[in-house]
Amino acid sequence: MEHHETIDSLCDYLSTGASGSRSTLIYAPNTIGKTRLAQQMKDRDPDGVVLYNSYVEDVFSWDNERVVLKMNLEAELLKTIETQGLDGAIVDNFKSLTDGKIEPLIDFARGEVVFGVYAGDDSTTDGIKISRAEESIFVWCVYYSVLSEAVETLADSEDLRSTTDYDGLTLAVIDDPVSSMDDVRIVSVALALAGLIKFAGDHDLRFLVTTHHALFFNVLFNSLRRKSDHAYVLAREPVAGWTLSKQSKDTPFSYHLGVINDIQQAILGNSVQRGHFNQFRALLEKTANFLGHTGGWGDLLTGPDAALLTKVLNLYSHDRFADLDSAEVAVEYKDALRGEFQEFLKTFRWAATA
């Protein structure tokens, strides 16, 4: 287990101490510090790191009157896409992850994207406002298209490369790319990313992937089985700092046991923080996936405070600035977590820990 008192120390380890790994996969609930970790890795080496995090979404904004997605053409990723002519790759990747009917038309001259169904007949429709999940897929496809091009380019010898734009890249940092996606898309994104990481295995480009999503972690964890692929669970104590617990390739991913213990200790010590709510949500997601609950993790909350806790879990999980906000929690929220957590342990017979 690795212990780090500061985020700088954690970055040092991932930059140097874990340099023997081709890929590093980290599971961590929201509020642990994933966003800061990813951003700091980029800030340390702006030219050597290609970063995906929630701030990539800020490159795009909806013009609801015209129903077009506006692009900030000053963004690094979009400059690369325009220069390398990757708009066609974005369209192909987007259609492969959706039903294939809706197609984005990317107009760099106007700095906007129009979505439509282009059938070549009277059924053609444009000006479609895509769903939040489809928007997340599109943003991911923007990054993934650049990353794929970089990996394929670096696979060639230097004298045969079509561009030198990617020569300085050493690390791809990817923080939670599956926000708002359904399970089918999450699996598809994870498998495609795992394939790309394997293909890049012979280059100097390394990968750091952080996520709070259990299914995304599990698919990557089980797909990346080389000795050079490392996986960890990241935890944080308010005073002591961060710990990285390495996950063995010989045993199933079992972060849930540590999560249960963390939440129990927080309840017993009256030290429940926002991070514990996100840990519980991740535990609910994993349990729902394992048990095949098609209605989602909310079905697993059966106590009297189920509605309140569902609202709080959604609020905390979707707070994009959760890593930076105060960890203070209202007493009624703590009481709801305490009751629903104990009910969950009894209902699903976590006998070893309950």
Side-chain angles (χ1 to χ4, degrees):
M1 180 181 293
E2 289 285 332
H3 176 73
H4 302 274
E5 293 184 359
T6 66
I7 199 78
D8 283 330
S9 173
L10 181 58
C11 287
D12 287 341
Y13 174 75
L14 294 172
S15 298
T16 58
S19 59
S21 64
R22 304 306 308 156
S23 72
T24 301
L25 175 62
I26 296 177
Y27 170 83
N30 286 333
T31 76
I32 294 297
K34 296 184 294 78
T35 300
R36 278 182 292 166
L37 172 63
Q39 188 63 52
Q40 192 145 332
M41 295 294 285
K42 172 68 173 179
D43 293 343
R44 285 182 164 212
D45 187 7
D47 296 327
V49 174
V50 55
L51 170 67
Y52 181 93
N53 64 8
S54 60
Y55 299 116
V56 175
E57 297 178 5
D58 292 343
V59 172
F60 304 93
S61 61
W62 279 104
D63 180 337
N64 290 315
E65 283 191 17
R66 299 176 53 237
V67 197
V68 297
L69 192 62
K70 302 292 291 184
M71 302 184 293
N72 177 5
L73 297 179
E74 294 302 310
E76 179 183 358
L77 282 175
L78 291 179
K79 287 182 178 179
T80 301
I81 287 163
E82 186 173 16
T83 301
Q84 299 301 324
L86 299 179
D87 45 324
I90 296 172
V91 173
D92 292 342
N93 287 324
F94 178 81
K95 292 175 72 174
S96 72
L97 288 173
T98 56
D99 61 12
K101 295 179 181 178
I102 298 177
E103 181 175 334
L105 294 182
I106 304 172
D107 187 341
F108 282 103
R110 299 173 65 91
E112 60 190 34
V113 185
V114 177
F115 294 87
V117 176
Y118 304 101
D121 54 30
D122 292 342
S123 63
T124 293
T125 305
D126 60 8
I128 294 176
K129 179 70 178 288
I130 58 175
S131 69
R132 184 69 183 87
E134 289 166 332
E135 185 179 343
S136 292
I137 292 170
F138 177 78
V139 175
W140 167 248
C141 288
V142 169
Y143 175 87
Y144 182 77
S145 298
V146 172
L147 183 60
S148 298
E149 175 74 5
V151 169
E152 291 176 6
T153 300
L154 292 173
D156 293 331
S157 59
E158 289 189 23
D159 57 324
L160 294 177
R161 292 174 185 171
S162 59
T163 177
T164 59
D165 288 357
Y166 308 118
D167 287 0
L169 291 182
T170 59
L171 180 66
V173 177
I174 301 167
D175 175 39
D176 264 341
V178 293
S179 173
S180 303
M181 296 185 197
D182 60 48
D183 286 354
V184 173
R185 304 302 189 277
I186 289 171
V187 171
S188 297
V189 168
L191 290 175
L193 179 57
L196 190 63
I197 292 173
K198 292 176 184 177
F199 180 73
D202 296 330
H203 326 330
D204 292 332
L205 183 65
R206 297 186 297 119
F207 291 78
L208 170 62
V209 183
T210 64
T211 184
H212 78 283
H213 199 288
L215 177 60
F216 185 65
F217 184 102
N218 273 330
V219 174
L220 286 173
F221 179 80
N222 290 309
S223 298
L224 300 171
R225 309 291 291 182
R226 303 167 300 182
K227 290 183 179 179
S228 59
D229 297 317
H230 297 172
Y232 300 88
V233 172
L234 179 65
R236 182 188 180 190
E237 295 294 332
V239 177
W242 289 266
T243 56
L244 272 176
S245 303
K246 194 169 185 179
Q247 297 295 292
S248 170
K249 295 293 182 182
D250 298 324
T251 57
F253 174 44
S254 57
Y255 78 89
H256 53 282
L257 297 179
V259 167
I260 289 173
N261 182 66
D262 286 348
I263 297 174
Q264 285 180 320
Q265 293 304 313
I267 291 174
L268 290 172
N270 194 29
S271 57
V272 171
Q273 297 181 342
R274 292 180 58 159
H276 296 111
F277 287 79
N278 289 298
Q279 284 181 311
F280 188 32
R281 171 164 172 156
L283 178 62
L284 289 167
E285 288 175 346
K286 181 173 175 61
T287 305
N289 288 332
F290 178 77
L291 296 176
H293 277 253
T294 57
W297 57 267
D299 288 351
L300 308 188
L301 296 175
T302 58
D305 291 319
L308 173 60
L309 188 60
T310 298
K311 177 182 177 181
V312 176
L313 293 179
N314 282 326
L315 174 66
Y316 285 174
S317 179
H318 291 99
D319 183 354
R320 61 176 305 187
F321 299 107
D323 285 353
L324 305 176
D325 285 348
S326 168
E328 287 301 315
V329 178
V331 173
E332 64 174 324
Y333 294 172
K334 292 181 181 180
D335 291 342
L337 176 66
R338 180 184 298 108
E340 292 301 320
F341 179 70
Q342 295 303 330
E343 189 69 25
F344 169 79
L345 295 184
K346 293 176 185 177
T347 301
F348 296 98
R349 301 183 180 181
W350 289 98
T353 52

